[in-house]
Amino acid sequence: MTAQIIDGKAMASGLRAAVAAETRRLVSGHGLTPGLAVVLVGENPASKAYVGSKSRAVIEVGMRPFDFHLPAATSANELLGLIGELNRDAAVHGILVQLPLPSQIDAARIIAAVDPAKDVDGFHPLNAGRLASGLPALAPCTPLGCIKLAKAVHASLSGLDAVVIGRSNIVGKPLAQLLLAENATVTIAHSRTRDLAGVCERADVLFAAVGRPEFVRGGWVKPGATVIDVGINRLAADGGKSRIVGDVCFAEACEIAGAITPVPGGVGPMTIACLLANTLKAACMQAALPVPEI
Ligand code: NAP
């Protein structure tokens, strides 16, 4: 069997177009331009690239970007000062602090300082708690994208066996909560899981968020299952270049799975599109307007 490739790039483009249409409606109907503040501290090259693509995407959908690039030596108090200002600024509807932060800054303290209503990353403990309690919340962007990709194959995830490998606060745990909300039967696997291959073989939908290149082998995949590969791993390639691979051995899994996301071109583009959707949602909620279904 050769798996259907789930085209995350095309889906993300459709979602961005829908966000742009709703943004135009907000601007013309209510004089409201959603604003997203992106805060980068330091010179991490991957973070700089992510922040650059986020800012471009914000402008493309007609939102207002507020970009801040602070020096690597910035203190926690200086960063907290900026976040306080952004929390108070009515033109800013979403705040994203790019992680990782330099070692002198405690990321948990910074995340907790963001106004939960502007927490478009969905990392604030209040939003994490609301999500876990089944209450309306701003949910993290990568898990939101994973759910949309899985639903491109399965109109409903209800009753399906879903296995999530990884239990981080930014991917694995919130993804498991979103899957529960979709009525999937959820297993969260991690580095202490016994017989990981056997656990994965039970999955109708398998999500890999491990951070290890090509870790999930084709033989772990149930025939016909859907595989959503969250991993972004940079490997050295010929000529001093690099290539990006996922957490799933794509060539092997393609032969067994029913559908699979590629890396790149799967979860990655959906993450940024979901960030824009979260910013739209945050702007609508702050203005007490209905949140569009997109
Ligand atoms: P993370 O915080 O490092 O978490 C990795 C998880 O994998 C942990 O829960 C860990 O288990 C588990 N794990 C590690 N080795 C394992 C093993 N041998 N067997 C089973 N589980 C194992 O990583 P993350 O932030 O969640 O990111 C995961 C991947 O997604 C990375 O490749 C990252 O680059 C990628 N990512 C992509 C996007 C995107 O937009 N596409 C966004 C975010 C992250 P323990 O908890 O037991 O240590």
Side-chain angles (χ1 to χ4, degrees):
M1 160 166 217
T2 302
Q4 170 204 339
I5 307 297
I6 307 168
D7 188 344
K9 230 169 139 181
M11 280 184 64
S13 162
L15 182 54
R16 286 203 311 270
V19 171
E22 291 297 337
T23 300
R24 282 194 295 276
R25 208 180 48 79
L26 273 188
V27 173
S28 62
H30 302 277
L32 172 62
T33 305
L36 175 65
V38 177
V39 182
L40 171 66
V41 186
E43 305 298 329
N44 180 318
S47 294
K48 275 169 114 170
Y50 289 141
V51 162
S53 30
K54 284 168 188 169
S55 299
R56 280 193 297 280
V58 167
I59 295 166
E60 267 168 34
V61 295
M63 294 181 177
R64 189 176 295 155
F66 297 83
D67 293 339
F68 298 88
H69 188 179
L70 308 183
T74 300
S75 70
N77 281 342
E78 285 168 325
L79 183 52
L80 288 169
L82 173 60
I83 289 174
E85 280 172 33
L86 297 173
N87 283 343
R88 289 186 293 275
D89 188 340
V92 173
H93 303 94
I95 302 170
L96 179 153
V97 182
Q98 184 65 45
L99 301 178
L101 288 166
S103 56
Q104 75 275 14
I105 302 177
D106 174 11
R109 200 172 152 212
I110 302 302
I111 289 167
V114 173
D115 179 347
K118 299 188 178 187
D119 171 38
V120 285
D121 254 342
F123 295 162
H124 192 287
L126 188 83
N127 279 318
R130 290 182 67 86
L131 181 63
S133 304
L135 295 168
L138 285 166
C141 306
T142 299
L144 281 174
C146 290
I147 296 290
K148 287 185 188 293
L149 289 161
K151 289 181 90 171
V153 181
H154 307 272
S156 165
L157 301 176
S158 181
L160 295 184
D161 279 321
V163 170
V164 180
I165 318 175
R167 56 174 164 178
S168 71
N169 286 338
I170 65 169
V171 188
K173 278 184 204 154
L175 175 55
Q177 295 299 346
L178 289 170
L179 285 164
L180 271 180
E182 295 285 340
N183 298 313
T185 303
V186 186
T187 303
I188 310 179
H190 47 76
S191 66
R192 310 294 170 89
T193 297
R194 277 181 293 159
D195 185 21
L196 183 59
V199 170
C200 291
E201 274 172 48
R202 294 203 300 268
D204 299 309
V205 192
L206 176 61
F207 299 85
V210 194
R212 290 176 175 239
E214 300 179 330
F215 175 74
V216 175
R217 311 308 308 221
W220 302 10
V221 176
K222 175 172 159 178
T226 298
V227 178
I228 308 293
D229 188 350
V230 184
I232 301 177
N233 307 288
R234 197 172 285 277
L235 295 185
D238 293 342
K241 294 192 179 150
S242 65
R243 67 188 176 100
I244 289 177
V245 299
D247 288 344
V248 177
C249 182
F250 184 79
E252 289 179 10
C254 257
E255 297 300 316
I256 315 284
I260 187 167
T261 56
V263 178
V267 175
M270 284 300 285
T271 295
I272 295 190
C274 289
L275 171 67
L276 301 170
N278 264 358
T279 305
L280 179 76
K281 180 176 177 178
C284 290
M285 289 193 310
Q286 284 161 51
L289 292 169
V291 176
E293 292 279 337
I294 51 172

